[in-house]
């Protein structure tokens, strides 16, 4: 799976939007972009994924650059509960590692009241 | 529907002892994964079961670790004998199938401390 680069940490104010960037300059055409997050003292949880088009779900939006070399996870209104480590993970169709997730260091998001 | 459960939530053992961690995946999920995070490091994959078969055990650190999934339901991860560097949080995850578009559901983890 290709490598991703994320800022170590970010801060946000409660009820403001948050844009979490991820660079994946070596992404291949069959790589999907997945985001997971890990709340304190919990296991990781799935947030969203996409391939080329922007995606929305109840948790967040995913904006994918036209060249797919970067993406941004958007939390439209951050809450205190959104304080977590956010992981941007590429998952590739085909190849021998279809199953497991490859976690990087992620971005630790702090939300201030 | 119950999520992925893990037992125990915490375990403190002496170096050289044996510990067995248990994971109950979501009912009907054929795929079960073990991951761990040791102190200050990233979450790392250990192994992947499809039903009762080991699909990928490339992340298992050494032969002191033994994972089983008899009957394709719950799984156990035994560490024998435990060493200090085995301390960390062990996560289990399950998914309906291994297609990359299927999300993995994680348990809360077992925090293992080896003294």
């Amino acid at each position: 799976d290709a490598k991703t680069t994320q800022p170590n940490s970010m801060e946000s104010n409660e009820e403001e939007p948050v844009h979490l960037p991820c660079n994946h300059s070596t992404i291949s055409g069959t790589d999907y972009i997945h985001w997971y997050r890990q709340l304190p003292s919990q296991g990781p949880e799935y947030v969203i994924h996409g391939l080329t088009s922007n995606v929305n779900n109840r948790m967040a939006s995913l904006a994918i650059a036209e060249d797919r070399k970067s993406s941004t996870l958007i939390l439209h209104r951050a809450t205190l509960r959104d304080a977590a480590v956010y992981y941007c993970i590429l998952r590739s169709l085909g190849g021998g590692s279809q199953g497991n997730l490859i976690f990087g260091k992620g971005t630790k998001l702090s939300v201030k009241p | 529907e119950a999520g992925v459960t893990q037992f125990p939530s915490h375990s403190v053992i002496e170096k050289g002892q044996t510990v067995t961690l248990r994971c109950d995946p979501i009912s009907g999920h054929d795929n079960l994964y073990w991951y761990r995070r040791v102190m200050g490091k990233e979450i790392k994959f250990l192994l992947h079961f499809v039903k009762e078969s080991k699909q990928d055990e490339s992340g298992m650190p050494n032969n002191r670790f033994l994972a089983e999934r008899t009957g394709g339901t719950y799984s156990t991860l035994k560490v024998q004998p435990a060493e200090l560097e085995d301390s960390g949080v062990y996560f289990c995850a399950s998914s309906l199938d291994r297609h990359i578009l299927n999300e993995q559901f994680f348990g809360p983890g077992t925090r293992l401390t080896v003294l």
Side-chain angles (χ1 to χ4, degrees), chain A residues 30 32 34 36 38 41-44 46 49 87 91-93 96 98-101 103-105, chain B residues 33 35 37 42-45 48 56 58 91 98-109:
Chain A
T30 56
Y32 281 77
H34 288 243
Y36 279 73
Q38 186 177 16
S41 302
Q42 295 187 29
Y46 167 83
H49 76 267
Y87 298 97
R91 302 190 72 191
S92 181
L93 280 174
Q98 287 189 31
N100 57 292
L101 300 171
F103 289 86
K105 292 182 171 56
Chain B
Y33 308 84
Y35 296 83
R37 184 206 296 275
E42 296 151 19
I43 299 171
K44 294 289 189 187
F45 165 76
H48 169 203
D56 179 358
S58 61
F91 295 104
R98 67 174 182 171
H99 194 281
I100 64 167
L101 297 186
N102 281 319
E103 64 180 283
Q104 293 187 14
F105 294 85
F106 282 78

Side-chain angles (χ1 to χ4, degrees), chain A residues 9 15 20 41 62 64 71 74 78 82 85-86 92 107 109 111:
Chain A
S9 62
E15 298 192 3
L20 297 163
S41 302
L62 177 60
I64 301 172
S71 60
I74 303 165
D82 291 321
V85 179
Y86 288 78
S92 181
T107 297
L109 175 66
V111 181

Side-chain angles (χ1 to χ4, degrees), chain A residues 3-14:
Chain A
K3 185 176 172 59
T4 63
T5 305
Q6 300 176 250
N8 288 335
S9 62
M10 291 185 65
E11 276 192 355
S12 172
N13 294 316
E14 196 176 10

Side-chain angles (χ1 to χ4, degrees), chain A residues 36-91:
Chain A
Y36 279 73
R37 71 179 185 180
Q38 186 177 16
L39 302 171
S41 302
Q42 295 187 29
E45 65 176 356
Y46 167 83
V47 178
I48 200 167
H49 76 267
L51 181 63
T52 56
S53 304
N54 294 345
V55 184
N56 300 295
N57 67 19
R58 63 176 179 80
M59 288 181 71
S61 296
L62 177 60
I64 301 172
E66 197 169 332
D67 64 4
R68 301 210 323 125
K69 293 184 185 301
S70 65
S71 60
T72 302
L73 180 72
I74 303 165
L75 307 179
H76 294 285
R77 289 182 70 221
T79 68
L80 297 178
R81 196 194 172 277
D82 291 321
V85 179
Y86 288 78
Y87 298 97
C88 170
I89 298 170
L90 299 185
R91 302 190 72 191

